[in-house]
Amino acid sequence: MPDLVADSGRRRAVLAKLPRIHRPDGTPVKVLLVDDEPALTNLVSLALGYEGWLVDTAATGREAIERYRADRPDVVVLDVMLPDTDGLSVLRTLRQYDDGTPVLFLTARDSVDDRIIGLTAGGDDYMTKPFNLEELVARLRGLLRRLANTAEESDERLVVGDLWLDESSYEVQRGGEVINLTSTEFELLRHFMRNPRRVLTRAQILDRVWNYDFAGKASIVDLYVSYLRKKIDADRPPMIHTVRGVGYLLRSSDG
């Protein structure tokens, strides 16, 4: 137990040294926390408040959708099990309003199938209860950092063949057709486009896109590559290629 306490203290010390994350205009990050357990929402709200973030809470799916539409948060922490519905249904509704807001699922279920179901629905990350508050903060910082990077960078476009990605406006097009991506899909594609014709291993992609080892499950990379292929390569010459036993690479469809 003393070692666990020491580890938690070290994590808090590391987080305390990290620079504050805020919106591009300098205003505080807005977080929507959706969970029906008051003890949990109080603790998480307190931890996120230490980051200087503004936390809004909702205890039901209907309330979550209303709060989201009214205030458009920068990131959502969403419990899978809610009194009136499930978090997956809530997320599908939220995605109708905005496809780019990062969503981190909270759930008491810890099977690989449950993780895949949550991420397939459009979630960007997944934590099981009980969880460590410092790790939750770290993961949310990772999700927000992706958006902060696109806001801070200049109008820079990455172009590979007929595919282009604008890091400033968060737009993606192929052959003149607009392609809508979630924040994780966008980050994965950006990593590919910054390394065209280079084979990227699953471990490299996990480290760069997710910023941590997803419980050792490299299958999450395969899952998101399949999502990208459906959007980028659908009814077109393929650009994302599998290198068996190694990983993936992206190259122009004309070579």
Side-chain angles (χ1 to χ4, degrees):
M1 183 63 69
D3 289 339
L4 294 177
V5 173
D7 287 343
S8 178
R10 282 193 291 271
R11 282 193 294 267
R12 284 195 296 269
V14 169
L15 287 173
K17 294 178 181 178
L18 294 176
R20 289 293 179 95
I21 294 179
H22 51 72
R23 287 178 157 185
D25 62 3
T27 57
V29 166
K30 293 182 179 181
V31 182
L32 175 59
L33 172 59
V34 187
D35 197 288
D36 63 333
E37 300 179 40
L40 183 146
T41 56
N42 289 339
L43 283 174
V44 173
S45 296
L46 185 62
L48 300 185
Y50 287 145
E51 293 292 309
W53 302 345
L54 299 178
V55 182
D56 195 8
T57 61
T60 66
R62 175 175 293 182
E63 188 179 4
I65 294 169
E66 291 174 353
R67 297 287 176 84
Y68 184 91
R69 294 179 63 184
D71 207 26
R72 291 301 174 94
D74 301 295
V75 65
V76 178
V77 180
L78 178 60
D79 189 16
V80 171
M81 302 300 295
L82 296 168
D84 57 341
T85 184
D86 62 86
L88 305 182
S89 298
V90 173
L91 179 57
R92 282 191 286 269
T93 300
L94 298 186
R95 289 300 187 219
Q96 295 175 10
Y97 301 107
D98 183 358
D99 208 26
T101 303
V103 174
L104 184 148
F105 275 119
L106 296 179
T107 181
R109 298 180 295 191
D110 190 25
S111 73
V112 173
D113 287 344
D114 287 328
R115 297 180 190 181
I116 292 176
I117 289 171
L119 294 167
T120 302
D124 298 284
D125 205 347
Y126 190 108
M127 290 190 72
T128 56
K129 301 177 181 178
F131 55 85
N132 180 279
L133 284 173
E134 288 80 23
E135 182 180 359
L136 173 64
V137 173
R139 292 198 185 187
L140 291 178
R141 287 179 65 95
L143 292 175
L144 288 165
R145 191 163 54 246
R146 302 175 191 174
L147 301 184
N149 285 340
T150 57
E152 291 168 3
E153 291 169 358
S154 60
D155 292 337
E156 181 181 355
R157 286 187 179 182
L158 301 176
V159 180
V160 178
D162 62 347
L163 176 68
W164 66 260
L165 177 151
D166 192 312
E167 296 186 299
S168 177
S169 66
Y170 217 73
E171 293 179 273
V172 175
Q173 291 188 19
R174 182 171 182 192
E177 180 181 343
V178 175
I179 299 172
N180 296 316
L181 302 178
T182 67
S183 61
T184 299
E185 292 166 350
F186 181 90
E187 189 67 16
L188 177 58
L189 180 61
R190 173 160 62 176
H191 188 43
F192 278 133
M193 294 184 70
R194 284 179 171 175
N195 298 274
R197 302 187 65 84
R198 176 185 174 188
V199 179
L200 302 173
T201 68
R202 291 173 177 81
Q204 289 171 329
I205 295 171
L206 276 172
D207 181 65
R208 175 60 185 85
V209 177
W210 279 267
N211 297 298
Y212 64 94
D213 181 69
F214 196 85
K217 301 298 182 182
S219 59
I220 192 66
V221 175
D222 301 328
L223 184 65
Y224 268 86
V225 167
S226 72
Y227 295 163
L228 267 188
R229 279 177 165 155
K230 291 177 182 177
K231 296 184 177 183
I232 301 299
D233 290 343
D235 301 319
R236 306 180 181 94
M239 295 185 68
I240 302 173
H241 300 270
T242 301
V243 180
R244 292 190 180 279
V246 183
Y248 299 94
L249 68 81
L250 180 140
R251 65 169 180 259
S252 171
S253 56
D254 58 11

